């Protein structure tokens, strides 16, 4: 593997630390602070790190560790990363009792059940959910080569992509062992979760490719313009020679030369377009299962003379209510309405 194919240094370090359960915060240009979980702090004999990824930044922050190829810290982190393998499990800290004050009021404020009386909470219980993180190594090849580690986290319960997972998980000091015992929540099949993750990774890769193409557009246009000018000049000179030629043999020779110039121009243009096109290679690098407690809240609603039930989730680490999923389209919905089959469906399907 050449140096151009290596995963960018900062991406490797931050991914490895996050995978170990560290909390990271960017505090300046190429300056990152990390609060380490107990297992990692014991290994590194410290519970806090300040890392500099630029030599000038390291000189301005002498207390920071300068992370560069060959540094002892990077070698230790590489040994740590090699020990993780392809699959890691991390656990959220003990959530406590899971009691949530004013939950009924919060439900009534955030969820709207049309043509129903206000919902009543009839039961609450805790379950341990799995958020599966798929980490894809992505190589984009064009006039330059770029490598990215795309992270896609899928809710194992619903199959939905959790786009803000890093926002709330990043505030958690994760553990390698559970400190609580909870029943396991429903987990969709590995195939289903992987398919959903692949679609999202492909979407992210297309965005990266489009961004790379946009940045390269001016270079490509400038090169195409040079090619066009060069061959236009050759064609013009050859056309003038044809007009001045006195015999048919010479004109035929110049006509063939003109055709060859045009063919060569088309070939050069094609080569230029291909050089600036973006090829994308994606493969799954590793998996991380994040175990997160969520509160299940069973609601009872009255619609005319019928009583309907639905269950909503409260994500304790994220401190947020998560709306129910429409049984018809499978999407979360905050506005639901009863249908004729004792279901609550989103308003996209009912009026």
């Amino acid at each position: 593997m050449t140096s151009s194919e290596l995963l960018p240094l900062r991406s490797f370090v931050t991914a490895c630390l996050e995978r170990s359960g560290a909390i990271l915060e960017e505090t300046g240009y190429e300056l990152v602070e990390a609060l380490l979980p107990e297992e990692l702090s014991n290994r590194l004999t410290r519970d806090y790190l300040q890392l500099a990824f630029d030599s000038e930044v390291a000189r301005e922050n002498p207390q920071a560790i300068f992370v560069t190829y060959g540094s002892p810290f990077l070698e230790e982190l590489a040994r740590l990363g090699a020990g993780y393998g392809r699959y890691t499990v991390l656990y959220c800290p003990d959530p406590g009792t899971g009691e949530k004050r004013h939950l009924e009021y919060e439900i009534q404020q955030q969820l709207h059940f049309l043509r129903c009386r206000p919902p009543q909470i009839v039961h609450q219980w805790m379950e341990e959910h799995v958020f599966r993180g798929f980490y894809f190594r992505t190589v984009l090849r064009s006039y330059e080569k770029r490598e990215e580690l795309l992270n896609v986290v899928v809710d194992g319960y619903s199959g939905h992509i959790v786009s803000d997972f890093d926002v709330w998980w990043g505030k958690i000091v994760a553990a390698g062992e559970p400190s609580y015992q909870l029943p396991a929540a429903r987990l969709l099949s590995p195939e289903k979760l992987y398919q959903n993750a692949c679609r999202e990774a492909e979407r992210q890769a297309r965005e990266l490719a489009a961004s790379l193409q946009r940045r390269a557009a001016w270079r490509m246009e400038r090169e195409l313009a040079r090619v066009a000018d060069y061959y236009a000049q050759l064609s013009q000179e050859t056309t003038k020679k044809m007009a001045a030629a006195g015999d048919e043999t010479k004109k035929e020779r110049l006509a063939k030369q003109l055709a060859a110039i045009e063919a060569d121009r088309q070939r050069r243009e094609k080569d230029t377009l291909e050089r600036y096109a973006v090829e994308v290679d994606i493969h799954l690098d590793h998996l991380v299962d994040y175990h997160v407690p969520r509160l299940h809240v069973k609601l009872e609603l009255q619609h005319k003379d019928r009583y309907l039930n639905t269950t909503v989730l409260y994500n304790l680490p994220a401190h947020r209510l998560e709306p129910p999923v429409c049984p018809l389209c499978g999407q979360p919905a905050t506005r639901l309405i009863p249908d004729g089959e004792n279901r609550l469906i989103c308003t996209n399907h009912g009026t």
Side-chain angles (χ1 to χ4, degrees):
M1 178 177 290
T2 64
S3 60
S4 63
E5 294 174 318
L6 294 172
L7 188 66
L9 180 61
R10 178 170 170 172
S11 296
F12 166 76
V13 171
T14 55
C16 190
L17 290 174
E18 287 175 340
R19 194 173 178 188
S20 73
I23 297 177
L24 305 182
E25 182 179 359
E26 185 171 349
T27 55
Y29 172 73
E30 295 297 329
L31 193 65
V32 174
E33 294 183 1
L35 182 63
L36 308 183
E38 183 177 357
E39 294 87 345
L40 187 55
S41 64
N42 290 337
R43 178 166 181 161
L44 299 179
T45 66
R46 64 185 76 187
D47 56 12
Y48 166 82
L49 294 172
Q50 188 176 45
L51 307 174
F53 296 90
D54 178 83
S55 57
E56 184 64 29
V57 173
R59 283 194 292 270
E60 295 173 356
N61 297 271
Q63 75 282 2
I65 298 174
F66 178 37
V67 185
T68 186
Y69 293 106
S71 64
F73 173 78
L74 184 60
E75 292 178 359
E76 177 62 26
L77 209 60
R79 286 191 289 270
L80 176 69
Y84 281 137
R86 297 293 185 182
Y87 177 65
T88 306
V89 180
L90 295 175
Y91 294 87
C92 189
D94 190 344
T97 63
E99 293 181 359
K100 179 73 174 66
R101 298 178 61 186
H102 311 302
L103 184 55
E104 193 167 284
Y105 173 78
E106 193 169 336
I107 290 172
Q108 293 179 9
Q109 291 297 306
Q110 296 185 30
L111 304 180
H112 305 281
F113 298 97
L114 307 182
R115 301 177 187 173
C116 294
R117 292 184 181 276
Q120 301 295 317
I121 296 176
V122 295
H123 185 41
Q124 299 182 46
W125 70 98
M126 294 277 289
E127 290 185 9
E128 184 182 56
H129 288 246
V130 174
F131 290 78
R132 180 155 294 170
F134 295 85
Y135 294 82
F136 296 88
R137 182 165 293 192
T138 305
V139 179
L140 299 99
R141 294 183 177 89
S142 182
Y143 69 97
E144 65 180 23
K145 184 180 291 184
R146 176 178 171 185
E147 187 164 345
E148 296 285 345
L149 190 65
L150 301 181
N151 60 313
V152 179
V153 179
V154 185
D155 184 344
Y157 186 79
S158 67
H160 295 146
I161 305 300
V162 188
S163 57
D164 68 341
F165 180 83
D166 289 342
V167 174
W168 52 269
W169 181 265
K171 301 174 183 177
I172 294 171
V173 180
E177 299 290 338
S179 58
Y180 52 83
Q181 289 186 343
L182 290 173
R186 177 189 71 206
L187 182 63
L188 297 178
S189 70
E191 293 81 7
K192 175 65 175 175
L193 300 180
Y194 180 62
Q195 289 171 3
N196 292 355
C198 286
R199 282 194 292 269
E200 173 63 16
E202 289 169 0
R203 185 194 67 80
Q204 292 184 24
R206 284 195 299 270
E207 289 186 353
L208 287 174
S211 175
L212 189 60
Q213 285 181 319
R214 285 193 296 271
R215 291 203 308 272
W218 68 274
R219 294 187 183 186
M220 183 181 68
E221 290 171 1
R222 186 174 62 180
E223 189 166 338
L224 287 172
R226 285 201 300 265
V227 169
D229 288 345
Y230 172 74
Y231 285 98
Q233 184 177 350
L234 282 181
S235 296
Q236 186 177 17
E237 292 174 355
T238 305
T239 301
K240 287 181 179 179
K241 290 179 181 178
M242 286 179 61
D247 60 83
E248 292 300 320
T249 302
K250 187 174 183 180
K251 284 186 178 180
E252 288 181 8
R253 180 174 58 80
L254 289 171
K256 291 180 180 179
Q257 185 177 343
L258 190 61
I261 290 171
E262 175 60 21
D264 197 42
R265 180 191 66 79
Q266 293 179 6
R267 181 187 59 78
R268 285 284 302 275
E269 286 184 349
K270 181 182 178 183
D271 289 345
T272 301
L273 291 171
E274 289 178 349
R275 186 166 62 256
Y276 283 92
V278 181
E279 295 181 0
V280 181
D281 294 329
I282 305 177
H283 69 269
L284 183 62
D285 186 77
H286 65 274
L287 294 172
V288 181
D289 272 356
Y290 302 92
H291 288 245
V292 176
R294 284 200 282 193
L295 182 65
H296 290 236
V297 185
K298 185 176 181 180
L299 303 178
E300 183 179 78
L301 304 100
Q302 184 178 358
H303 170 65
K304 298 180 180 179
D305 58 347
R306 290 185 295 159
Y307 286 89
L308 308 175
N309 293 110
T310 190
T311 300
V312 298
L313 301 178
Y314 191 88
N315 188 323
L316 294 165
H319 306 290
R320 71 175 177 213
L321 184 70
E322 297 181 346
V325 172
C326 173
L328 296 183
C329 63
Q331 296 301 311
T334 58
R335 294 175 62 83
L336 299 108
I337 189 169
D339 69 354
E341 301 181 26
N342 291 331
R343 298 176 303 186
L344 289 164
I345 61 176
C346 72
T347 53
N348 290 333
H349 308 288
T351 56

